[in-house]
């Protein structure tokens, strides 16, 4: 565990609170934005696909699939939340790329 100081703890709290505020105020007014927002809650492509299909979301008349959601998350960020979610996704998969 990283050694904490009061100052670094306060900075981490601010960073995390900013993320929470960003997610909670994010307007998911398109399928892509909905995917970004759902991934920020779950950190799971499988869960995003499942929730999207339960809600009847489609891409070009086809149910959502893993590849489509992955391409949205890993694609070029269109806003701050997408940038943060993409960075988290890349960190999450990075160890598996070394295999």
């Amino acid at each position: 565990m990283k050694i904490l100081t009061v100052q670094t703890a306060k900075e981490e709290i601010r960073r995390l609170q900013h993320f929470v505020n960003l997610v909670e105020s994010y307007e998911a007014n398109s399928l892509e934005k909905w995917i970004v927002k759902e991934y920020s809650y779950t950190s799971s492509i499988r869960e995003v696909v499942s929730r999207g299909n339960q809600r009847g979301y489609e891409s070009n008349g086809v149910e959502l699939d893993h590849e489509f959601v992955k391409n949205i998350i890993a694609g070029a960020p269109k806003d701050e939340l997408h940038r943060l979610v993409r960075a988290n996704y890349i960190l999450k998969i990075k160890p598996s790329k070394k295999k």
Side-chain angles (χ1 to χ4, degrees):
M1 184 173 161
K2 184 177 169 182
I3 297 174
L4 290 179
T5 64
V6 171
Q7 186 59 38
T8 58
K10 286 179 178 181
E11 289 169 9
E12 184 69 2
I13 289 168
R14 276 192 292 273
R15 185 182 72 82
L16 294 172
Q17 189 60 55
H18 174 71
F19 179 73
V20 169
N21 292 339
L22 190 60
V23 172
E24 289 180 344
S25 66
Y26 194 73
E27 287 192 43
N29 54 11
S30 69
L31 179 58
E32 289 79 10
K33 286 186 170 192
W34 180 86
I35 289 169
V36 168
K37 186 170 185 171
E38 278 304 303
Y39 188 81
S40 70
Y41 278 106
T42 66
S43 193
S44 166
I45 291 175
R46 180 180 297 155
E47 188 64 28
V48 172
V49 170
S50 175
R51 289 180 183 190
N53 288 332
Q54 286 174 354
R55 292 176 185 219
Y57 293 156
E58 297 179 341
S59 171
N60 297 323
V62 179
E63 279 191 337
L64 299 184
D65 63 15
H66 184 276
E67 195 65 27
F68 177 77
V69 171
K70 182 187 84 166
N71 288 339
I72 296 296
I73 293 166
K78 295 181 174 48
D79 53 44
E80 185 179 5
L81 181 60
H82 192 178
R83 182 181 59 78
L84 293 171
V85 165
R86 180 178 182 266
N88 181 49
Y89 172 73
I90 290 169
L91 282 173
K92 186 175 177 180
I93 65 165
K94 197 172 188 177
S96 65
K97 282 187 170 183
K98 291 180 182 178
K99 291 181 182 177

